[in-house]
Amino acid sequence: MHTFTVIGGGIAGASTAYHLAKLGHGVTVYDRFDEGQATSASAGIICPWTSQRRNKKWYRLVHEGARYYPSFIDDLERLTERQTGYSKNGAICMFKDKHIQQLAFERISKKKETAPEMGEVKMLSDVDQRSLNPFLTSSYPSVFVEGGAQINGQQLLTALREGISHYGGKWIQKEVDPEKVEGIVIYAAGAWGRELVREPRIQHQKAELLHIEVTPATHHPTPVVMGLGPMYIVPTGANTYAIGTTHEDTESFDVQSSEESKKYLLEEAKKYFPDSSLAIKGMSVGLRPFTRDSLPYLGWATDNIFVINGLGSSGLTAGPVIGREVAAYLTNQATAIQIEDYAYI
């Protein structure tokens, strides 16, 4: 049995600790519960197949992440008897015109050969889209991806903490000096990652998310919506949604929401629910960590400190499988992903 200390309790640290504890190793997680943790504030869409990013290493990671989710959640929820907010109700992907809709349908469909878990892919008519969500705008042509899913980041972390405890691990809410702990240190501090190591260089974005109530209520559950540009809509209840997001490159750790972002996101929400009455229920703010090329970093910073960081906007998609893979790698087991591909320093 090996001993590990995990610094940082976001999805990367929590998942790695959970998988190490499940393998029978000694694990202690230290988490300061900093405001602005990306996992807790994220909307949690799991639908990597629609992305146009051409980075093959990134796609391999998120593809494996989406494939792993159903069994991962089934095991975790059965073990802890906790709900994680995971549901697979599909994804509606919107485009500005029918030409782009056709191209997107062809592009997405090609991925099904190597990703059968994405399920059916089809172009939606206005009638089709209204059957999925009757109050969503039909101004934009769309494609439906059956395997699209969502997860509640905060609920997932709660379940992972209980899973870690079940397997004998510890979760301690305080700061810790890495030189005064036992075993290998796994440093997964997210946006705060520069406090201990200089490389990889961690930058972060402030991302704001608007929570709204829609009247009249839609039927529930409804699919997640990937709107134009960076916009997305995630159902959080029978008539409540989270819509986001803004992206602000910043050196600040201020997590106060801005009136400007609130107004902007509300105007965006009106475009997608043009015939509904909208009420603001609140704002969420997260600090998303990025590294070079927006590719997660998984590798050694020193002889005893292994870094996991830079998950960015795909943290909740990739985090669980990263935990599984890093746990296997650090205990000399076979991995499905080449960890060395992400150790680019």
Side-chain angles (χ1 to χ4, degrees):
M1 184 181 81
H2 300 289
T3 300
F4 296 90
T5 296
V6 178
I7 299 176
I11 184 59
S15 175
T16 304
Y18 168 75
H19 286 91
L20 284 168
K22 188 177 180 181
L23 290 172
H25 301 287
V27 181
T28 301
V29 180
Y30 289 92
D31 186 34
R32 299 186 311 203
F33 283 78
D34 292 300
E35 283 191 85
Q37 180 197 74
T39 303
S40 299
S42 176
I45 294 177
I46 305 165
C47 191
W49 316 285
T50 61
S51 173
Q52 295 190 65
R53 285 185 63 179
R54 298 189 180 189
N55 189 311
K56 293 180 180 179
K57 293 178 182 179
W58 173 84
Y59 181 71
R60 283 198 296 269
L61 196 59
V62 295
H63 172 205
E64 186 66 22
R67 180 162 53 187
Y68 180 48
Y69 245 100
S71 61
F72 165 68
I73 292 297
D74 186 58
D75 288 346
L76 182 62
E77 290 188 342
R78 188 185 311 114
L79 175 72
T80 64
E81 298 183 347
R82 285 272 188 181
Q83 294 299 307
T84 60
Y86 178 77
S87 60
K88 188 188 287 187
N89 301 310
I92 298 171
C93 308
M94 295 181 166
F95 306 94
K96 67 178 183 179
D97 58 44
K98 290 189 176 181
H99 174 65
I100 296 178
Q101 176 197 31
Q102 178 66 42
L103 293 176
F105 170 74
E106 294 170 2
R107 172 176 54 81
I108 296 167
S109 296
K110 288 178 181 178
K111 295 182 180 179
K112 189 173 178 179
E113 183 177 344
T114 57
E117 61 277 3
M118 66 192 291
E120 183 182 6
V121 181
K122 67 178 182 178
M123 295 173 62
L124 295 179
S125 67
D126 291 353
V127 173
D128 292 333
Q129 186 170 291
R130 281 195 293 272
S131 71
L132 294 170
N133 189 326
F135 299 111
L136 196 62
T137 182
S138 58
S139 297
Y140 309 117
S142 58
V143 172
F144 181 71
V145 181
E146 184 182 28
Q150 67 183 87
I151 186 75
N152 183 295
Q154 188 58 61
Q155 290 180 328
L156 177 57
L157 287 182
T158 298
L160 283 169
R161 283 197 292 269
E162 292 199 11
I164 291 165
S165 177
H166 174 87
Y167 288 120
K170 299 177 183 178
W171 190 291
I172 300 173
Q173 185 177 344
K174 74 172 188 178
E175 191 164 8
V176 65
D177 183 345
E179 295 184 359
K180 298 180 179 179
V181 298
E182 294 184 75
I184 293 172
V185 173
I186 298 168
Y187 190 54
W192 296 266
R194 281 185 282 178
E195 293 180 9
L196 179 59
V197 297
R198 300 182 68 177
E199 294 291 342
R201 178 170 171 76
I202 304 300
Q203 300 172 292
H204 64 269
Q205 289 180 339
K206 181 179 180 181
E208 297 181 73
L209 190 68
L210 177 69
H211 297 269
I212 58 173
E213 183 176 64
V214 176
T215 305
T218 62
H219 63 279
H220 188 71
T222 57
V224 299
V225 178
M226 305 178 80
L228 301 188
M231 285 298 114
Y232 55 77
I233 303 170
V234 179
T236 55
N239 63 329
T240 56
Y241 295 85
I243 180 166
T245 181
T246 62
H247 299 89
E248 176 191 348
D249 293 328
T250 180
E251 293 288 320
S252 170
F253 288 86
D254 175 21
V255 292
Q256 294 300 309
S257 61
S258 70
E259 284 299 316
E260 180 181 4
S261 293
K262 184 186 295 186
K263 290 177 182 178
Y264 166 70
L265 290 171
L266 180 59
E267 290 303 310
E268 289 294 314
K270 290 176 181 177
K271 295 178 183 178
Y272 294 97
F273 296 101
D275 302 317
S276 300
S277 175
L278 308 181
I280 295 175
K281 306 302 290 183
M283 292 279 287
S284 299
V285 180
L287 302 177
R288 291 175 173 172
F290 290 88
T291 56
R292 192 183 76 190
D293 300 328
S294 296
L295 184 68
Y297 182 84
L298 315 174
W300 295 99
T302 71
D303 290 341
N304 194 54
I305 299 176
F306 190 91
V307 174
I308 307 174
N309 214 325
L311 277 62
S313 58
S314 52
L316 277 169
T317 299
V321 80
I322 284 175
R324 183 194 74 186
E325 294 295 285
V326 170
Y329 175 78
L330 294 178
T331 55
N332 299 313
Q333 298 188 37
T335 61
I337 294 170
Q338 292 296 319
I339 297 295
E340 292 82 1
D341 284 348
Y342 306 92
Y344 41 80
I345 294 175

